[in-house]
Amino acid sequence: MRPIIGLIPLYDDEKESYWMLPGYMKVIEKCGGLPVMLPLTDDKAELNDAYKICDGILFTGGHDVSPLVYGQEATDKCGIPCSLRDSMEGYMLDLCIRDDKPLLGICRGIQFINAHLGGTLYQDLPSEFDSEVEHHMLPPYEQAAHKVNVEVGTKLARIIGPGIHEVNSYHHQAVKEISPRVTRMAFSEDGLVEAIEIKDQQFAVAVQWHPEFSYKVCEDSMKLVQAFVDACHISK
């Protein structure tokens, strides 16, 4: 039986519809998992049932995280948040931590995890963080945009190796003050946090880049998702 991976749904405000980038599902399938898009809801009974059938949770990219999550007011550069998604993800994240269930955060995922656990975010990198590093690349998104330094001794180092790695990048928010409940695992050339791990969990990893775009051409992306799916299989 393949491990079932629950994916946080993407939401289209204009069309009022759920959707999913195929790369999230395809890379999980390629790594031996069974991806299932979860309902977007804050109904705890429904979320509990959805959570129970999943062996791991993937916190996908998407909307800007509401500054209310980390106790700040929104600036005029912050995008329109999805409060329902913020609520849903906070509940699911707490369940994963309680049960030590494997999780992987991508882009918004790393941002939400850090914010929910007591850290803060840059609401808009271009106006708040002076850097020449390209964090909001143009297509093709599977190509590398900048380099990151993976720190020695971290889980990410054990998965893809320590030192310099090339990643893609497509975001305008990012981790600012890091949560005391997470460990930094990688940083970009300008010092921005690029990967974290929640402390005292078997597999609770989040990255700022997009392996769902690059897995076909990037060995590191495949190794990362494979490690996540393997952890979900072990936890079954």
Side-chain angles (χ1 to χ4, degrees), residues 2-22:
R2 290 171 172 248
I4 297 173
I5 314 298
L7 276 62
I8 303 295
L10 308 180
Y11 183 73
D12 187 311
D13 294 289
E14 293 184 3
K15 296 180 180 179
E16 297 184 347
S17 65
Y18 304 159
W19 66 287
M20 182 56 59
L21 286 164

Side-chain angles (χ1 to χ4, degrees), residues 143-181:
Q143 300 302 312
H146 63 76
K147 298 176 182 178
V148 299
N149 192 335
V150 177
E151 301 193 59
V152 175
T154 61
K155 184 180 293 292
L156 187 60
R158 293 193 291 274
I159 295 171
I160 67 173
I164 304 301
H165 295 259
E166 293 187 330
V167 299
N168 55 9
S169 190
Y170 189 75
H171 62 107
H172 88 108
Q173 295 198 321
V175 172
K176 187 176 183 180
E177 296 173 346
I178 195 165
S179 161
R181 297 177 62 184

Side-chain angles (χ1 to χ4, degrees), residues 2-234:
R2 290 171 172 248
I4 297 173
I5 314 298
L7 276 62
I8 303 295
L10 308 180
Y11 183 73
D12 187 311
D13 294 289
E14 293 184 3
K15 296 180 180 179
E16 297 184 347
S17 65
Y18 304 159
W19 66 287
M20 182 56 59
L21 286 164
Y24 286 118
M25 307 192 85
K26 291 299 183 184
V27 67
I28 288 174
E29 291 175 43
K30 192 172 180 67
C31 291
L34 180 64
V36 176
M37 190 174 80
L38 301 176
L40 183 63
T41 179
D42 59 1
D43 183 296
K44 291 183 179 179
E46 190 172 346
L47 289 176
N48 285 338
D49 287 343
Y51 173 82
K52 288 175 185 176
I53 68 171
C54 295
D55 301 301
I57 303 295
L58 175 58
F59 292 80
T60 56
H63 282 78
D64 284 2
V65 177
S66 171
L68 295 176
V69 174
Y70 48 99
Q72 294 184 8
E73 296 292 327
T75 69
D76 60 355
K77 300 292 186 180
C78 185
I80 297 173
C82 179
S83 58
L84 182 58
R85 181 169 175 181
D86 289 339
S87 177
M88 171 186 175
E89 285 187 308
Y91 187 72
M92 297 296 274
L93 177 57
D94 289 342
L95 290 179
C96 286
I97 294 172
R98 182 196 70 186
D99 298 336
D100 196 12
K101 180 169 288 191
L103 68 89
L104 176 63
I106 293 175
C107 193
R108 171 195 155 92
I110 186 176
Q111 298 162 15
F112 182 83
I113 290 167
N114 183 68
H116 182 72
L117 297 181
T120 64
L121 303 179
Y122 290 105
Q123 294 189 35
D124 178 65
L125 282 177
S127 61
E128 298 178 29
F129 187 76
D130 186 20
S131 175
E132 295 183 358
V133 175
E134 179 57 77
H135 288 289
H136 199 270
M137 68 187 295
L138 297 174
Y141 296 120
E142 70 269 19
Q143 300 302 312
H146 63 76
K147 298 176 182 178
V148 299
N149 192 335
V150 177
E151 301 193 59
V152 175
T154 61
K155 184 180 293 292
L156 187 60
R158 293 193 291 274
I159 295 171
I160 67 173
I164 304 301
H165 295 259
E166 293 187 330
V167 299
N168 55 9
S169 190
Y170 189 75
H171 62 107
H172 88 108
Q173 295 198 321
V175 172
K176 187 176 183 180
E177 296 173 346
I178 195 165
S179 161
R181 297 177 62 184
V182 309
T183 299
R184 186 184 75 171
M185 296 196 296
F187 56 93
S188 56
E189 298 150 287
D190 53 12
L192 205 64
V193 176
E194 289 280 342
I196 61 173
E197 177 184 16
I198 302 175
K199 297 175 182 178
D200 303 318
Q201 298 285 299
Q202 61 163 319
F203 195 101
V205 170
V207 297
Q208 184 57 74
W209 60 89
H210 288 270
E212 81 280 10
F213 287 142
S214 58
Y215 72 95
K216 291 181 180 180
V217 298
C218 177
E219 185 179 1
D220 288 346
S221 294
M222 278 298 297
K223 286 181 178 179
L224 174 60
V225 180
Q226 187 66 67
F228 169 54
V229 173
D230 289 347
C232 294
H233 195 277
I234 292 170

